[in-house]
Structure formats: structure tokens, C-alpha cells
Amino acid sequence: MIVLKLTLDHIYEFDDFQINFTYPKKIVNSIIENEHLDGRERFRYKKAVILMGANATGKTSLGKTLLRIFGYMVNANPLPLCEMVSGEKGSFSIDFVNGDYRLQRLSAEITPSRNDVSIQYMDSEIGLLDSYEKCASTLKDRTKEATTNATSLKKLVGEIGFRFAYPEIEKTLKLSKTNKAILLKTLHAVIGTLDPTLQDVSLSKDLKGLDTVTTKTVTADTGNITIQEGKLLNREVLSSGTTEGVDVAIFLAAMIAKESTFYYCDEHFSYIQSDIEKRIFGIMLDRIGANEQLIFTTHNTDMLDLNLPKHSYMFLRRLPEDGRYKISAVSASDVLKRNTDSIRNAVENDVFASLPQDSLLDELEMGRMDEQ
């Protein structure tokens, strides 16, 4: 699954929102190789996106939205879509490619009061020399075929592979024989980096025959980790850094095992050192294969120092417009046109209007708060 463009209206906090994951011009000597649809060099898309923005700008909500849209493609259940609508009606449109040479577009108007989702489905063949823009102009309506029965849309879209990770969700890693070895190795590397008392990571079966990963540490105070069928069981007794590390390790193991093709990692490094976050992201970057995509959200400004194309950096901001606050997305490459332009300098000078507005703290710093 490759997401190319998404528009949202009255979905969570998003009104008249649009985000584009394509780019028009080939980048010379990019650290990200083959940033295009395999076999279609002019059909360019952003394989790795670092998504930044202040709190409450929609980074997590964007992931939740994509997860629910993907879920609808799989099972046609309207309820999760209805639950994300703010107001009487909401709508979305998503352009994507999924395992073949077709540009697909799914649009929907959602009416929660009736649990109703009215869809339009279109697609277009991607020729050898076609760009995204060209294919988007030649889409053909196939709504009738997509709505014949409950499984029609799923058949047209094809099988979807996706993995999301954010603080409110746990998703197990499907433990095939190969994946078991990958998970153990990844857990040992990540947790061992975060916890120097780690001695061993082993796999066994419990009384019910379920796969159980356990760790052994130098002291019991550290808290041993128990993962059953790829899910962390004793989360409440572990430190925040350790639990976050387990989630990161499972996500990274899924990428290494090629479990999916679309990955959304949302702020899973709040309790992990900056240098470790950068290094693990680098490993993720190395693991992105042909026709795969990674969206990685973070508050860590040290990520701005990575040697990535400017278009890999995108920012969400929430600005006042017509008496209300509206979320919008901007790509660094749309603003910074010169090779010498620094993304870090631009962020520090709030060129993207993505920094938190901290003027209210001035009163505290200057002692002007009324003492009552």
C-alpha cells in the first residue's frame, strides 16, 4: 500500500484538509533510493516521511484516520468511519497504489446518523512513462463494480498490508518461523540498548501452547518482559522507556520481516534518547523496500539534521482562519527551494508556522500573573 494523496473534511479535527505524498522532480544523489513505483520511474512518491508539528495538530489523528479507511477497504464496516466524523456529515478521498500498476481513488461521504457511507471508486492504469499527475487526470469511474456486494470493493482494491503504532494501539506481530527469529534478535538489540542489565531473550510455549517471549535481566527490580503471541502482557510493571522500546522493537521487527508495505509510527520515542531514535529510524529507512512507505511522526528536532530530501519533511500546523482553528499540512520542499536552505533554521524561525505558540507563558516568566 502506497498513499499518494489524502483529503479530509469534518473528519476528527480536519476540515478542508489535504496532504500530498508525491513529488514532481527526481532528486539527484538522494539517500533514499528508488523513490518511485517499482518499474515506473516517473511515478514518484515519498517513501519515507518525517511528520512534525506541535501538540494537537493531528499527527495521531491522521494515523487513526488512515487506519479506519484501510479497515473499511478490508471489511466494508461503516461504523468506524462514522465514529470519526465531526458534525452531521464528513468526507474523505484517498489516492493510492496497492500491489499493481493501477492508481486507485476511493472517495466517501459519511452520514453518522444513518450509519451510511456512500462511496465513489475510480482507477487508472499506470503506463511505463506515466506520472501520478497524468494518471490522476485519466481516472475512470468504477463505482458500480465496487458496490455490487459487500466484498466488491475489497476485491477491486486487493489485499492490503499495513501496520500502525501509536500509544493507544497494540498490534501483535504474526509469528511465523522466520518472524520468531527476527523478533528475538530485534528485541535483544533494542531492549539491550535501552537496558544494559538485559542478559537474555528467549522463546518458549506456555501451558496453552502459545508462543511466549521472556527476558532475563541482572536484577529483578528491572522488571522482566513477557510477550505472548507478539503482545506485551506486563506493561504496567515496566518502565515507560522499556515498554516503549518493546513497541518499537515489534514495529521494527515487522518491517524487517516484510509483514506489511505501509507503516505508520507515531511518537514512539518520547522516553528514548534522541540519538537512539535517529539510529533506529535509520534502520527503518534501510529496510524500506520497493513499493513500501513509512510515515514517522516525532517532536524531536534532532531529526532535522538527517541527510534526507527536503520533501521527506512535512509539517502539520493549526492556525486561526475565519474565527476557527484549521489544520493544514506543508512540505518543506514547497517552501525551501534552494539547495542551501536549512530545514533546521527554517523550523527554528517558524517558517512553517508549526511551532507551539508559547506567548501565554510570558506572563509567568515576567511575573505579571495576578496573585489571587
Side-chain angles (χ1 to χ4, degrees):
M1 169 65 76
I2 302 166
V3 177
L4 303 162
K5 184 179 179 181
L6 178 70
T7 61
L8 304 170
D9 194 41
H10 297 298
I11 301 295
Y12 290 126
E13 309 95 333
F14 302 105
D15 293 326
D16 191 24
F17 173 84
Q18 177 178 298
I19 189 166
N20 194 321
F21 297 108
T22 69
Y23 68 100
K25 187 178 179 181
K26 182 179 179 180
I27 306 298
V28 180
N29 298 324
S30 173
I31 191 175
I32 305 176
E33 297 181 352
N34 303 319
E35 207 170 5
H36 55 75
L37 187 63
D38 191 32
R40 299 290 188 271
E41 292 189 11
R42 295 187 181 182
F43 200 96
R44 304 182 183 99
Y45 74 95
K46 302 175 182 181
K47 292 181 75 169
V49 174
I50 292 181
L51 189 63
M52 306 184 78
N55 291 321
T57 54
K59 297 185 295 298
T60 299
S61 294
L62 183 65
K64 291 179 177 179
T65 300
L66 287 169
L67 179 58
R68 292 184 179 226
I69 291 174
F70 291 170
Y72 181 80
M73 294 179 189
V74 173
N75 57 34
N77 181 5
L79 186 58
L81 294 185
C82 292
E83 290 174 346
M84 67 183 187
V85 173
S86 58
E88 295 182 1
K89 286 188 177 183
S91 63
F92 71 81
S93 180
I94 184 170
D95 289 2
F96 61 96
V97 174
N98 186 41
D100 56 18
Y101 292 127
R102 286 184 303 139
L103 171 63
Q104 303 184 60
R105 175 177 293 171
L106 176 65
S107 304
E109 185 172 278
I110 309 164
T111 309
S113 61
R114 302 200 305 264
N115 281 339
D116 179 66
V117 177
S118 176
I119 71 167
Q120 180 186 40
Y121 175 82
M122 309 173 77
D123 70 5
S124 175
E125 295 295 326
I126 303 173
L128 186 62
L129 301 178
D130 286 348
S131 65
Y132 162 72
E133 292 77 13
K134 181 178 179 180
C135 290
S137 68
T138 59
L139 287 164
K140 296 179 181 179
D141 195 326
R142 299 183 64 186
T143 304
K144 187 175 181 180
E145 295 174 62
T147 55
T148 302
N149 55 54
T151 62
S152 297
L153 178 63
K154 180 180 179 179
K155 290 178 180 178
L156 284 171
V157 169
E159 292 295 325
I160 304 175
F162 54 88
R163 172 169 283 269
F164 289 77
Y166 51 85
E168 295 87 1
I169 187 175
E170 287 187 73
K171 189 173 187 295
T172 62
L173 176 64
K174 300 173 184 176
L175 292 176
S176 65
K177 185 175 181 180
T178 301
N179 290 2
K180 292 175 185 177
I182 291 173
L183 179 59
L184 289 177
K185 184 176 181 179
T186 308
L187 280 167
H188 190 276
V190 175
I191 303 304
T193 299
L194 300 176
D195 183 357
T197 70
L198 181 71
Q199 290 185 314
D200 184 50
V201 179
S202 60
L203 178 68
S204 61
K205 290 186 179 294
D206 71 354
L207 295 176
K208 297 180 180 179
L210 297 175
D211 287 322
T212 303
V213 177
T214 57
T215 64
K216 181 180 179 182
T217 56
V218 173
T219 63
D221 295 341
T222 306
N224 289 327
I225 301 166
T226 304
I227 302 170
Q228 194 167 85
E229 293 296 284
K231 186 174 182 179
L232 179 61
L233 297 185
N234 56 336
R235 182 177 294 267
E236 68 283 350
V237 301
L238 301 173
S239 70
S240 298
T242 300
T243 56
E244 203 167 65
V246 172
D247 292 336
V248 168
I250 293 176
F251 186 88
L252 181 55
M255 291 191 69
I256 296 172
K258 299 294 182 184
E259 181 203 69
S260 303
T261 56
F262 179 89
Y263 301 91
Y264 196 103
C265 186
D266 179 48
E267 295 182 19
H268 256 34
F269 292 82
S270 301
Y271 301 98
I272 296 176
Q273 294 94 326
S274 173
D275 288 345
I276 301 301
E277 178 178 3
K278 289 168 64 178
R279 189 163 183 183
I280 292 178
F281 175 79
I283 297 171
M284 291 180 179
L285 200 61
D286 289 339
R287 295 293 178 170
I288 301 174
N291 300 341
E292 295 182 0
Q293 189 174 40
L294 168 66
I295 298 177
F296 186 97
T297 81
T298 182
H299 286 288
N300 183 6
T301 55
D302 287 343
M303 298 290 284
L304 299 169
D305 298 327
L306 297 174
N307 185 27
L308 297 174
K310 287 186 175 66
H311 67 238
S312 295
Y313 291 94
M314 303 190 74
F315 300 87
L316 295 182
R317 64 267 185 96
R318 195 169 194 157
L319 303 174
E321 183 177 312
D322 299 328
R324 59 189 180 91
Y325 280 84
K326 180 179 176 182
I327 298 174
S328 60
V330 59
S331 174
S333 60
D334 291 338
V335 178
L336 307 178
K337 302 295 186 180
R338 297 175 299 181
N339 292 335
T340 56
D341 288 337
S342 165
I343 294 180
R344 175 176 280 278
N345 288 343
V347 170
E348 290 176 350
N349 288 283
D350 206 16
V351 170
F352 307 111
S354 60
L355 294 181
Q357 301 303 307
D358 57 359
S359 58
L360 291 176
L361 297 177
D362 293 345
E363 294 182 0
L364 298 180
E365 290 181 337
M366 299 180 69
R368 292 180 299 187
M369 184 176 179
D370 293 334
E371 296 181 3
Q372 293 181 355

